[in-house]
């Protein structure tokens, strides 16, 4: 059985498709704070803390990357959310792809932000394993200090920087390390992309150096029915750095997905 995940669940059940938000590493569900201000007024929005992050348990530790997807599936079963749009950023985007691999029949749309589908290279496996060892030895603060101005652009607001740094330093090193090892051994989703039968939205910060625009262009080209939005004035976290632009693109995409759905839904009890 999957561990109980901490989560936010807000907004009404209507004819609009629920939105499920999957955070990246090493963050938590508060990464989606701007989206939780905008979208629960019109639709149900669910955002979990992944296993090992935020207020979710770190044990049993995730050992296989697909455990993240199975945890999300179990949570949505518990919440009786049958079908949904899945949105994920960075590692969260890879988890979204894994969800589509495992239970595509429940997914009505994909939002893939600042992410890429390929499996890890041998060098990448060694790098992630070494970082996992470092986090267990040193904790999160040194890592957070080093990568902050790549996670968000150097010119990002002090408020955004403080939020991102706070999420990173609050993450349990044990959870982050386990996730790094599992992520290093994740599947390759490249062959999955041409088989995606639902609409997709690909978003990337123009100044992202972790997953640059070239990655987003390749992702967009591989998906049969995808839109691409490059967000100026943002690096790896455009949903926080430029929420106005990110949310407008997401709102337009969700309206498109809604238009493909039946016109009514049973009321939420």
């Amino acid at each position: 059985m999957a561990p109980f995940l901490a989560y936010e669940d807000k907004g009404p059940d209507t004819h609009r498709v629920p939105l499920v938000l999957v955070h990246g590493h090493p963050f938590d569900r508060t990464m989606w704070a701007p989206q939780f201000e905008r979208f629960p007024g019109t639709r149900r929005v669910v955002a979990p803390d992944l296993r090992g992050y935020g207020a979710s348990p770190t044990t049993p530790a995730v050992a296989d990357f697909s455990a993240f997807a199975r945890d999300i599936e179990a949570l949505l079963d518990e919440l009786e959310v049958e079908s949904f749009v899945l949105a994920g950023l960075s590692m969260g985007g890879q988890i979204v792809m894994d969800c589509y691999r495992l239970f595509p029949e429940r997914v009505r749309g994909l939002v893939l932000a600042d992410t890429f589908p390929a499996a890890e290279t041998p060098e990448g496996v060694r790098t992630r394993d070494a970082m996992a060892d470092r986090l267990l030895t040193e904790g999160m603060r040194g890592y957070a200090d080093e990568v902050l101005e790549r996670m968000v652009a150097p010119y990002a607001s002090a408020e955004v920087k403080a939020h991102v740094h706070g999420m990173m330093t609050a993450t349990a090193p044990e959870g982050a390390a386990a996730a790094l090892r599992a992520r290093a051994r994740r599947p390759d989703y490249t062959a999955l992309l041409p088989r995606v039968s639902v609409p997709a939205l690909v978003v990337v910060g123009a100044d992202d150096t972790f997953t640059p625009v070239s990655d987003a262009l390749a992702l967009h080209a591989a998906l049969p029915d995808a839109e691409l939005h490059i967000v100026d004035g943002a690096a790896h976290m455009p949903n926080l750095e430029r929420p106005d632009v990110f949310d407008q693109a997401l709102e337009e995409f969700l309206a498109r997905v809604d238009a493909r759905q039946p016109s009514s839904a049973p009321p939420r009890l």
Side-chain angles (χ1 to χ4, degrees):
M1 178 180 293
F4 179 79
L5 298 182
Y7 63 92
E8 293 285 340
D9 178 13
K10 295 182 179 179
D13 272 340
T14 66
H15 66 280
R16 294 181 174 89
V17 183
L19 174 63
V20 178
L21 300 168
V22 185
H23 67 78
H25 164 88
F27 307 123
D28 57 48
R29 68 185 189 270
T30 69
M31 192 197 89
W32 301 108
Q35 290 67 53
F36 260 95
E37 290 182 6
R38 179 161 182 167
F39 291 99
T42 58
R43 73 184 66 240
R44 191 174 183 185
V45 183
V46 177
D49 281 338
L50 297 170
R51 193 194 313 192
Y53 295 90
S56 287
T58 58
T59 55
V62 62
D64 183 274
F65 196 69
S66 65
F68 286 125
R70 291 302 187 194
D71 285 353
I72 291 169
E73 182 182 31
L75 175 64
L76 296 176
D77 286 346
E78 180 179 326
L79 298 177
E80 299 183 348
V81 181
E82 295 300 323
S83 62
F84 36 81
V85 169
L86 275 171
L89 183 144
S90 192
M91 183 180 80
Q94 293 165 340
I95 293 168
V96 162
M97 288 183 262
D98 209 71
C99 289
Y100 190 85
R101 178 179 70 90
L102 293 171
F103 43 93
E105 70 283 354
R106 299 179 65 176
V107 180
R108 297 293 173 263
L110 298 175
V111 181
L112 301 170
D114 300 82
T115 193
F116 65 99
E120 205 62 74
T121 64
E123 180 182 357
V125 172
R126 291 190 292 272
T127 298
R128 292 196 190 278
D129 284 348
M131 180 57 71
D133 292 340
R134 176 188 169 187
L135 296 182
L136 290 173
T137 300
E138 300 179 8
M140 300 297 295
R141 181 166 293 277
Y143 169 76
D145 291 345
E146 287 174 16
V147 302
L148 176 61
E149 291 193 349
R150 292 186 67 197
M151 292 294 188
V152 297
Y155 51 77
S157 72
E159 181 181 8
V160 167
K161 287 183 180 180
H163 182 185
V164 172
H165 192 269
M167 286 190 292
M168 289 193 285
T169 55
T171 296
E174 297 81 6
L180 282 169
R181 297 189 201 283
R183 187 182 184 191
R185 293 155 181 85
R186 68 186 181 274
D188 190 328
Y189 305 109
T190 305
L192 174 70
L193 299 179
R195 304 198 302 270
V196 172
S197 62
V198 298
L201 172 65
V202 178
V203 185
V204 65
D207 295 331
D208 191 347
T209 58
F210 282 121
T211 51
V213 170
S214 58
D215 286 350
L217 292 172
L219 191 60
H220 173 252
L223 289 158
D225 182 7
E227 305 169 25
L228 173 66
H229 282 264
I230 300 171
V231 180
D232 290 330
H236 194 55
M237 303 185 73
N239 72 299
L240 281 174
E241 298 171 87
R242 292 295 311 277
D244 52 340
V245 177
F246 184 93
D247 288 356
Q248 184 61 38
L250 179 55
E251 187 166 320
E252 292 172 2
F253 176 74
L254 290 171
R256 180 182 167 210
V257 175
D258 289 341
R260 296 164 60 109
Q261 307 309 309
S263 59
S264 63
R268 182 178 177 184
L269 299 178

